[in-house]
Amino acid sequence: MTPRETETVVSAAAGTNEGNQELRSRSELTAKEVMREVGAVLRMSEADAALLAEVEADPGEDQTMIINMGPQHPSTHGVLRLMLELKGETVLRCKPIIGYLHTGMEKTGESLTFMQGGTNVTRMDYLSPLNSELVFSMATEKLLGIDGEIPERAVWIRMLMSELNRMSSHLLFMATNGMDIGAVSMMLYGWREREVVLRFFQKVTGLRMNHNYIRPGGVATDLPAGWRDDVMSILDMLPDRLGEYDVLMTNQPIWRERLQGVGVITQAEAIALGATGPILRSTGLAWDLRRDMPYMHYDQLEFDVIVGSYGDAFDRYAIRLNEIRESMRIVRQILDRVPRGDFRIQDKKVTPPPRARIDESMEALIHHFKIFTEGFKVPEGEVYVAIESPRGEVGCYIASDGSPTPYRMHVRAPSFVNVQALPHMMRGGLVADAVAVISSVDPVLGEVDR
Amino acid sequence: MSTHDPVTSATLHGCLLGDSRGQAVLFVPKSSYVSTMKKLVDDGFEMCADLTAVDFLTHAARSLPESIQPERFEIVVNLLSLSKRERLRVRVQVGESDPQINSLFDLYPGTEAMEREVFDMFGISFTGHPDLTRILMPEDWQGHPLRKDYAQGRIPVQFKGAAS
């Protein structure tokens, strides 16, 4: 490498120049492109579009400024980078630039067996790993044709873990949202409550995060002795703490001032952009896959779908707070209904023999070895399975060619889609509210970039 | 479970309607891609949940309805109807020699980022897309990582005492 080449490599590595991916200055754009960027594409009436154009009435290059927010910024929840065009303190345009955490997980997924795949997908949405594992397992089971044969106990354990995970994820949202808005003590409380849930996860799965607990065919291990008491203690502890959150934030005028009317998105916009989860529900549309397209046994449970009415950051905060309460209600019902039985399917094809059998049977040892080294073959075909994660619809598309590894494994990440709604929420708002808006979307960058 | 052949009798908007593990799959020719999607919007599929692609370079002999000519790439669009609580998957064959297809941006603005991801990962370009740039990989990256002829990255391992 010549010295000159070294120099260019170093300068490229030091900067964060993303070339055409970045927000271009207004002078480089045609009026039509500006209109597209600010959302004129959302099938709005011509009168609305004209109104929009009026507000934008060409501020002139010298009066606006493009600034970077992130990728290294404490409120960007990882490595999200936003480029904002400002006029004074008003955000005119915004563009999220992502990919700083891209590790090629979908490519990696093509070389891991269906057995190992869980370790990969669990690292995508690292705040709700169990939901990612669940959707991957459900897609694999559908391909195998065993989706109706999963033992009842395994299904109820999955639901229990999924709901507890929803609670831990939303509790962390409470913490980070509080911190982003300036309620710093809230951060400590949110992490503290989440830790209690994670401690239960650790007891069940052995790990606080990235569990690889839900696997094709069932779950990895049975629940430990005394799990009911552990869950009950979480359920006893939380209501008071959530009441404290209400005192600290919900009913507090500063908090309301800071969030109400900030980052508004309309229902039409949310649907057109494919936004799901609390963002879609904040616009007043009661859409929750658990209720509207039930999977597992959610149709047997009683719970409410929480909706907002203004589509603003406060609605999204309140929805998540109350979803913790609904999840607690669901967990209470699950506690009474977990039946006895197998925790994984007794199908020798997908389930390795138990440890005790290996000591006494050569065939079991060989079977165990084969299933862990080669994995199990999954029939050719393709499926898309979606469930409701704390952030919205997480979907898994798997195309199989009949081998033990997925031919193509794609995860429809709710954060990836939801982040694209940021420009619409930010437009016309203040730059000081940008942090509140990012926070209210609750993106997990591991999932955005995969 | 035997290998699953998509049912080929039903049609919707002149396209073959198949069934994959109980999920509705519509095989749309590339030429009528956007016009068919437009009809599907009118049918009540308000939301485009997901848009992705598959590179069938090493698995060309996949099971497809007889009248569908398999091509190297396949665009897979998962539509969702909030009003009817239904899903529909659209599969479009895209040839290797001409890896381009019309953009759905005007129908579903949310596909903007998804199409960029497919462009980035598979090198399929979308005609009419407002901002077709890489999204996950760096701007100066060579190649399209999710193509099957793109090797996985690996770090050479130095074994102790190995020659060379």
Side-chain angles (χ1 to χ4, degrees):
Chain A
M1 202 181 263
T2 64
R4 195 184 165 78
E5 273 171 340
T6 326
E7 203 177 278
T8 42
V9 169
V10 168
S11 68
T16 47
N17 183 16
E18 293 293 341
N20 280 333
Q21 294 182 30
E22 297 189 347
L23 185 72
R24 280 179 290 168
S25 71
R26 209 166 265 260
S27 59
E28 294 171 36
L29 298 176
T30 62
K32 203 178 158 203
E33 279 175 315
V34 175
M35 289 286 278
R36 288 203 132 152
E37 278 191 13
V38 298
V41 290
L42 294 176
R43 284 176 250 143
M44 53 176 68
S45 71
E46 285 192 13
D48 282 348
L51 206 67
L52 205 142
E54 225 165 79
V55 178
E56 296 298 313
D58 192 39
E61 184 84 13
D62 52 343
Q63 290 177 36
T64 68
M65 171 172 69
I66 291 182
I67 66 157
N68 262 307
M69 196 170 153
Q72 308 292 336
H73 191 285
S75 74
T76 52
H77 293 231
V79 281
L80 175 65
R81 174 181 174 198
L82 292 179
M83 288 185 88
L84 306 166
E85 188 188 35
L86 305 176
K87 184 188 182 194
E89 283 194 49
T90 311
V91 179
L92 297 181
R93 293 186 300 149
C94 160
K95 188 175 183 186
I97 297 165
I98 60 175
Y100 294 101
L101 209 57
H102 177 64
T103 47
M105 294 172 99
E106 289 183 3
K107 185 82 173 174
T108 310
E110 290 173 6
S111 63
L112 297 175
T113 63
F114 285 96
M115 188 110 192
Q116 300 163 328
T119 58
N120 185 36
V121 292
T122 193
R123 280 158 175 80
M124 289 183 177
D125 182 352
Y126 45 75
L127 295 184
S128 66
L130 289 160
N131 285 292
S132 309
E133 291 166 21
L134 178 60
V135 74
F136 176 78
S137 300
M138 283 170 68
T140 308
E141 283 155 10
K142 206 164 184 64
L143 275 171
L144 283 163
I146 57 168
D147 48 327
E149 298 158 31
I150 305 302
E152 284 295 290
R153 184 173 175 84
V155 174
W156 286 97
I157 293 178
R158 284 175 172 192
M159 286 166 70
L160 172 76
M161 297 301 272
S162 166
E163 287 311 312
L164 286 171
N165 203 176
R166 195 180 315 278
M167 284 155 60
S168 77
S169 173
H170 282 344
L171 284 169
L172 187 71
F173 164 80
M174 293 293 138
T176 53
N177 195 38
M179 184 177 66
D180 288 340
I181 313 296
V184 181
S185 48
M186 189 52 227
M187 184 190 73
L188 301 174
Y189 301 145
W191 286 94
R192 183 183 64 185
E193 269 71 281
R194 171 177 181 255
E195 197 58 39
V196 178
V197 184
L198 291 195
R199 223 166 281 148
F200 177 72
F201 286 162
Q202 187 174 19
K203 197 166 176 184
V204 176
T205 71
L207 295 163
R208 295 168 72 250
M209 296 168 83
N210 306 337
H211 313 279
N212 191 23
Y213 177 68
I214 298 173
R215 298 180 186 181
V219 294
T221 58
D222 208 349
L223 294 169
W227 64 273
R228 267 201 180 83
D229 296 337
D230 293 334
V231 176
M232 280 308 289
S233 71
I234 297 175
L235 295 184
D236 289 342
M237 176 269 298
L238 269 181
D240 288 350
R241 302 280 171 89
L242 295 182
E244 287 173 12
Y245 294 2
D246 272 336
V247 176
L248 185 65
M249 301 189 293
T250 317
N251 296 323
Q252 193 221 63
I254 300 173
W255 183 262
R256 285 174 172 261
E257 283 289 307
R258 197 76 173 73
L259 289 182
Q260 282 179 340
V262 167
V264 176
I265 187 165
T266 65
Q267 197 175 96
E269 279 178 333
I271 292 174
L273 291 169
T276 46
I279 297 181
L280 183 57
R281 288 196 283 275
S282 74
T283 64
L285 187 72
W287 179 259
D288 188 322
L289 292 178
R290 289 177 294 168
R291 188 202 65 179
D292 292 295
M293 300 176 104
Y295 50 96
M296 298 200 290
H297 292 326
Y298 278 110
D299 47 350
Q300 300 178 19
L301 298 176
E302 219 172 275
F303 62 97
D304 292 328
V305 176
I306 313 288
V307 292
S309 35
Y310 300 101
D312 59 2
F314 185 82
D315 276 356
R316 293 192 278 275
Y317 153 79
I319 285 172
R320 291 194 180 99
L321 182 64
N322 285 302
E323 276 186 6
I324 300 178
R325 295 193 169 109
E326 287 307 312
S327 286
M328 287 165 55
R329 199 169 143 198
I330 295 175
V331 169
R332 275 219 174 80
Q333 297 173 51
I334 294 174
L335 276 183
D336 301 333
R337 303 181 71 160
V338 179
R340 290 176 188 281
D342 287 325
F343 58 89
R344 56 185 177 186
I345 190 170
Q346 289 307 317
D347 180 339
K348 291 193 175 53
K349 201 180 154 195
V350 292
T351 307
R355 185 71 188 80
R357 285 278 298 145
I358 297 171
D359 294 339
E360 57 194 37
S361 158
M362 189 65 197
E363 285 72 29
L365 180 68
I366 295 170
H367 181 205
H368 188 275
F369 179 75
K370 292 277 267 188
I371 211 167
F372 273 94
T373 51
E374 288 171 13
F376 46 82
K377 290 199 165 107
V378 170
E380 194 206 335
E382 40 108 49
V383 288
Y384 176 82
V385 175
I387 63 165
E388 188 78 22
S389 97
R391 267 154 276 283
E393 172 178 330
V394 57
C396 187
Y397 178 76
I398 299 182
S400 172
D401 60 350
S403 71
T405 56
Y407 187 76
R408 166 104 170 94
M409 196 272 297
H410 170 73
V411 170
R412 188 267 187 207
S415 300
F416 177 77
V417 185
N418 291 352
V419 156
Q420 310 306 327
L422 277 175
H424 300 268
M425 297 180 184
M426 294 255 188
R427 197 177 59 77
L430 296 176
V431 66
D433 289 335
V435 173
V437 175
I438 300 171
S439 183
S440 76
V441 172
D442 193 21
V444 170
L445 269 290
E447 181 184 55
V448 173
D449 295 342
R450 277 158 291 140
Chain B
M1 268 318 274
S2 59
T3 37
H4 202 94
D5 282 322
V7 181
T8 57
S9 52
T11 57
L12 179 67
H13 300 309
C15 303
L16 276 179
L17 187 62
D19 171 275
S20 170
R21 307 286 201 280
Q23 302 178 337
V25 182
L26 192 65
F27 296 90
V28 176
K30 193 170 127 181
S31 51
S32 62
Y33 174 50
V34 173
S35 59
T36 308
M37 295 301 265
K38 211 169 263 170
K39 288 175 196 155
L40 291 175
V41 176
D42 296 337
D43 285 352
F45 289 97
E46 307 99 335
M47 190 184 273
C48 176
D50 188 32
L51 187 148
T52 184
V54 188
D55 177 7
F56 280 107
L57 180 67
T58 56
H59 181 46
R62 61 198 185 272
S63 55
L64 277 175
E66 270 173 25
S67 56
I68 305 290
Q69 174 69 33
E71 298 280 0
R72 175 172 171 182
F73 298 108
E74 213 171 78
I75 298 282
V76 183
V77 189
N78 279 294
L79 298 179
L80 175 62
S81 169
L82 303 174
S83 46
K84 290 188 291 180
R85 296 175 185 174
E86 267 178 28
R87 286 184 190 279
L88 178 68
R89 189 155 65 245
V90 172
R91 289 168 70 182
V92 189
Q93 306 293 321
V94 177
E96 184 180 3
S97 55
D98 180 27
Q100 66 87 27
I101 190 164
N102 286 327
S103 171
L104 287 185
F105 180 71
D106 287 332
L107 292 174
Y108 299 106
T111 58
E112 195 252 355
M114 304 171 192
E115 287 179 348
R116 273 177 75 190
E117 189 188 329
V118 170
F119 166 74
D120 192 357
M121 293 291 149
F122 291 91
I124 299 169
S125 54
F126 291 85
T127 316
H129 189 285
D131 177 30
L132 200 63
T133 52
R134 285 185 182 275
I135 184 165
L136 295 178
M137 304 306 286
E139 189 60 22
D140 53 358
W141 194 264
Q142 300 287 317
H144 302 283
L146 278 178
R147 284 190 172 193
K148 286 287 174 181
D149 50 7
Y150 186 98
Q152 273 185 13
R154 49 175 69 82
I155 301 164
V157 182
Q158 173 70 60
F159 290 103
K160 197 179 172 188
S164 78

